[in-house]
Structures are given as C-alpha cells and as structure tokens.
C-alpha cells in the first residue's frame, strides 16, 4: 500500500492531544483508562516516550533501545507531554525527513519508510487522544478528514498474535457494528470499545 505524506494531518491530531492533556490535573493521573493495565499517569508516560522516540527516529537515532524505555513522570507531566509533542512535530517537519529511513527499534530492527512510520504515530495520536479524553469524560473531536485519513492506517495494522503479547501496542480487533462512525471503527480495529467505560477495559495497551 502506498502511504501518503500525513504530516499535516499528524500535526493537527498531535495538537489535539496537547489540548486534551493540558487540561489534566495531577489528581487525574490515578484515573483508570481504556487500557486496563494502565492508569492515566502510565498512559501519559507512554505517550511522552513515544513522542520522543519517534522524534529521535526522524532525527536518525531511533535504533537506540534506550530511547523507547518508559521512565517515571516528572514534576509536571502535562508540560512534559507538550514539550515532547512539539519535539516530534518539529522533527517530522524537518527538511528531507521523508527521504530517510526510520528506525523504530521497539517494533522492528529493519528500517521503515518515513511515511509509514509517521502514519503509525498519527494513528497513535488519534487513539491515545481518545484514551485520555474518555478517561476524564472530555469530548474528543477530530475533523472528519483526519478520521478518514487515519482509518486505512488502522485497517493496515496486522491483527496477529503479537497483539496478545504483554506490552503490545494494540489488542485484538473488536467486531464493528452498523452504527459505527469512523472513530468507532478505528477504535474497534485497534482493540478498544467505543462504549468504555460502559464495558470492561481493554487488557493491556
């Protein structure tokens, strides 16, 4: 599948995550999330390290496993998330970034095309933004064109045994329903129930 340049869409989705995360308080960090193994603080730590990891990949350093290791949250994790998101947006916007391979050592030891790697982070922003918003009862509104751009990325994520492993990025797909809108479809493709918290959290990430 030919993957288009989604950097403009990525920036808008990433900016939306900044908006929803910036409204969190420290008291929110212990809240449960649609990821059963993680509270909101754990999810935020994951988002921060992923932002820095993808930025490092864009800058030629993604092959270092240490970059992808999640550490403890700092004194102001919301500000840290903003800084990490700005880091990855800046890295993706650099001249010539689409011409170099991305190494994402947490996923594979083989280089990936830049457009594919950027599409991965784009759909991460879409889904993790929803995770955060749903955890605190906030709306998660993305423009229809962003969701339509993210849907084929979500559809292309293999639904294989790796999704059942500890630490897997997504859980096994859930069946769609005729009432699903594009966001619901994306969530189900990546193992999340749009009805959460009305249903049990998704095991793992």
């Amino acid at each position: 599948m030919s993957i288009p340049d989604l950097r403009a869409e990525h920036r808008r989705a990433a900016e939306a995550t900044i908006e929803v995360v910036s409204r969190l308080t420290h008291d929110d960090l212990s809240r449960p999330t649609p990821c059963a193994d993680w509270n909101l603080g754990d999810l935020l730590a994951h988002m921060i390290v992923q932002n820095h990891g993808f930025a490092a990949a864009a800058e030629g350093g993604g092959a270092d496993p240490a970059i992808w290791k999640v550490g403890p949250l700092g004194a102001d994790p919301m500000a840290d998330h903003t800084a990490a998101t700005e880091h990855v947006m800046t890295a993706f916007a650099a001249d010539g970034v689409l011409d170099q391979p991305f190494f994402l050592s947490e996923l594979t030891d083989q280089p990936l095309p830049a457009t594919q790697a950027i599409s991965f982070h784009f759909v991460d922003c879409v889904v993790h933004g929803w995770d955060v918003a749903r955890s605190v009862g906030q709306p998660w509104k993305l423009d229809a064109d962003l969701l339509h751009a993210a849907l084929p990325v979500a559809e292309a994520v293999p639904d294989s045994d790796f999704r059942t492993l500890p630490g897997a990025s997504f859980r096994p797909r859930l069946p769609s329903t005729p009432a699903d809108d594009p966001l619901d479809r994306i969530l189900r493709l990546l193992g999340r129930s749009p009805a959460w918290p009305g249903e049990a959290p998704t095991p793992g990430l």
Side-chain angles (χ1 to χ4, degrees):
M1 180 180 73
S2 176
I3 300 174
D5 177 3
L6 295 172
R7 287 180 296 170
E9 291 83 358
H10 170 271
R11 174 172 285 274
R12 290 161 58 199
E15 288 172 344
T17 70
I18 291 177
E19 182 178 354
V20 72
V21 170
S22 68
R23 294 197 292 265
L24 300 178
T25 69
H26 282 80
D27 289 341
D28 290 325
L29 300 180
S30 61
R31 288 176 178 263
T33 74
C35 314
D37 295 341
W38 288 355
N39 63 25
L40 198 48
D42 298 327
L43 175 60
L44 196 54
H46 167 79
M47 293 169 70
I48 290 168
V49 79
Q50 288 290 302
N51 287 348
H52 284 309
F54 274 84
E59 296 163 348
D64 182 359
I67 291 170
W68 304 95
K69 185 177 180 180
V70 176
L73 289 174
D76 190 346
M78 284 66 79
D80 291 342
H81 173 267
T82 295
T85 308
E86 290 174 345
H87 183 196
V88 73
M89 290 190 297
T90 298
F92 284 1
D95 290 342
V97 72
L98 296 184
D99 298 324
Q100 67 176 38
F102 276 47
F103 285 90
L104 308 177
S105 65
E106 68 164 359
L107 298 179
T108 177
D109 58 2
Q110 298 299 313
L112 298 175
T115 55
Q116 184 178 28
I118 291 168
S119 77
F120 290 168
H121 197 264
F122 168 46
V123 82
D124 273 0
C125 291
V126 170
V127 174
H128 287 324
W130 177 85
D131 289 334
V132 173
R134 185 53 62 95
S135 296
V136 292
Q138 294 184 20
W140 179 239
K141 299 288 188 180
L142 294 178
D143 292 336
D145 66 305
L146 289 187
L147 297 175
H148 284 294
L151 183 54
V153 180
E155 289 173 335
V157 177
D159 191 30
S160 55
D161 289 344
F162 84 91
R163 293 196 187 202
T164 65
L165 299 175
S169 296
F170 305 116
R171 307 308 296 176
R173 291 180 181 180
L174 302 178
S176 61
T177 75
D180 285 347
D181 61 23
L183 177 58
D184 292 343
R185 177 69 177 143
I186 291 166
L187 296 173
R188 293 187 195 278
L189 284 166
L190 301 179
R192 286 157 169 79
S193 170
W196 191 91
E199 296 178 8
T202 303
L205 180 59

